[in-house]
Amino acid sequence: MKLRLHANSIRLRLSRCEVAQLGANGKVEELVAFPDGGTFGFSIASTDVPKITASLVDSRILLSVPCAMANDWVVSDQVGLEAPGILIEKDFQCLHEGIAAKDDSFPNPLQES
């Protein structure tokens, strides 16, 4: 899972395995361990919230998505989910020359067949 923070916004990009994990387990989480023993984490979970939300708890960014919305996204061709200041996307293969395609990325719709 890739995290981008920019100008008061949060963007997550999930690989195919992570999207499948969200569908199967209802949650995907990443944890970064620092040499001093501290950690920083971020996660996305499908829960009973009425809308997409983000919160910061104990050095962890927690994104919550309504269950029905998450389930629809997981099984469809829909690229992303959006709320004010929050964007959750399926991660597409890079089209730049010299950058190897990641097997776990979604096929890029702009890629020539």
Side-chain angles (χ1 to χ4, degrees):
M1 196 165 37
K2 297 176 184 176
L3 171 67
R4 181 176 181 196
L5 304 173
H6 178 72
N8 204 30
S9 66
I10 298 170
R11 177 180 173 188
L12 282 183
R13 290 177 28 191
L14 283 74
S15 68
R16 287 190 287 191
C17 286
E18 291 161 341
V19 170
Q21 182 181 350
L22 180 64
N25 303 329
K27 186 173 184 177
V28 181
E29 185 172 29
E30 291 283 340
L31 191 63
V32 178
F34 290 88
D36 68 357
T39 59
F40 169 75
F42 51 101
S43 65
I44 180 171
S46 59
T47 65
D48 292 333
V49 294
K51 62 182 181 176
I52 298 173
T53 61
S55 58
L56 180 65
V57 178
D58 297 328
S59 299
R60 292 190 172 33
I61 295 173
L62 311 172
L63 291 167
S64 296
V65 178
C67 290
M69 184 183 290
N71 291 337
D72 288 346
W73 180 66
V74 165
V75 299
S76 73
D77 290 335
Q78 181 181 354
V79 174
L81 302 171
E82 192 170 0
I86 303 169
L87 182 59
I88 303 161
E89 299 176 307
K90 293 175 179 170
D91 190 28
F92 291 123
Q93 293 172 349
C94 187
L95 296 179
H96 298 292
E97 286 187 39
I99 298 177
K102 287 177 37 182
D103 292 341
D104 197 28
S105 297
F106 288 88
N108 194 309
L110 299 178
Q111 188 172 12
E112 296 178 13
S113 300

